[in-house]
Amino acid sequence: MKRFALLSVLLAATGCGYHRAGQATHIPAGVRTLAVPIFKNNTQSYHTEVAFTQAVVHALNNRTRYVVTSDEKPENSDALLNGTITSQTVAPLTYDSSTGQTSSYLITIVAKVVLTAPDGRVLYKNNGFSFREQYQSTQDLSAFIQEDSPAVQRLARNFAQALVSDMMESF
C-alpha cells in the first residue's frame, strides 16, 4: 500500500508540469549569443525604448549565461531579440481634494517582443506585455521633480525581469 501511495505521488508530481528551474526553456540549447538591438518606440514618449532595452540587457547579463550584443544582424548571433513599445499612457489616478490637482498618476506601457533564430524561426513571442506603475506628482512647484521618468525606469526593470523569466521558463 505504501508503495502504491508513493508511486501515485511521484506520478502526480511528474505529470503536473513541474520542472527544475532552467529546464523548460523556449531557447534552444545551442544558443550562446543573443543580440538585443535598441527597442523600437511607436509612441510619442521620449527614451522609453532606451530604458527598456537597457533593463533587458541588464537582466539577461545577470540572470543568464548568454553573451548579449547589440548587433542587429541576425547572422551575427544565435538569436535576435526585437522589442517594440506599442503604447504608453499616463492617466490621473488620485486627486488632492483641497486643491483639485492630480496627486498621483498611473503609467501603462505595452510592449511586443519577438525572439528569432538566424533562419527566421520564432523562438519566443509576446505581443502584449503590459506593465503599470503608479507615481506621485509633486505639489510644491519650487521643488518640482518630474516623476514619470523614474516610474518608467521601475517599469522597465519589472518588464525585463518578467521577460527573461518568461523566455527561460514555460510558466
Side-chain angles (χ1 to χ4, degrees):
M1 187 66 169
K2 287 183 181 180
R3 287 183 188 171
F4 179 72
L6 180 61
L7 182 61
S8 297
V9 169
L10 288 174
L11 286 174
T14 59
C16 70
Y18 174 80
H19 59 275
R20 293 184 335 181
Q23 299 299 310
T25 181
H26 292 284
I27 303 172
V31 173
R32 303 274 184 261
T33 306
L34 287 177
V36 184
I38 295 288
F39 282 25
K40 292 179 178 71
N41 189 349
N42 292 344
T43 72
Q44 298 297 317
S45 301
Y46 182 68
H47 271 344
T48 301
E49 72 282 4
V50 174
F52 271 59
T53 305
Q54 289 174 343
V56 168
V57 168
H58 183 76
L60 286 167
N61 283 330
N62 286 336
R63 297 181 59 198
T64 71
R65 294 184 179 169
Y66 299 117
V67 175
V68 181
T69 70
S70 61
D71 197 341
E72 293 187 32
K73 298 178 183 172
E75 63 271 6
N76 292 341
S77 62
D78 299 322
L80 177 66
L81 181 67
N82 285 306
T84 305
I85 307 300
T86 57
S87 74
Q88 181 170 343
T89 58
V90 177
L93 192 59
T94 59
Y95 296 91
D96 183 334
S97 60
S98 63
T99 65
Q101 294 178 332
T102 305
S103 58
S104 71
Y105 294 89
L106 181 68
I107 184 169
T108 304
I109 298 177
V110 180
K112 173 184 175 181
V113 180
V114 180
L115 180 70
T116 55
D119 62 5
R121 183 173 35 105
V122 175
L123 303 174
Y124 172 82
K125 184 176 185 177
N126 188 329
N127 289 332
F129 256 117
S130 180
F131 285 83
R132 292 175 177 82
E133 179 76 24
Q134 179 181 350
Y135 65 93
Q136 302 297 315
S137 62
T138 304
Q139 300 298 320
D140 180 10
L141 294 180
S142 64
F144 181 73
I145 298 172
Q146 191 71 16
E147 288 296 325
D148 57 343
S149 184
V152 169
Q153 294 292 328
R154 291 188 301 271
L155 254 167
R157 284 191 301 270
N158 293 340
F159 166 83
Q161 290 173 358
L163 172 63
V164 171
S165 293
D166 200 35
M167 285 183 356
M168 300 307 295
E169 305 294 332
S170 291
F171 292 118

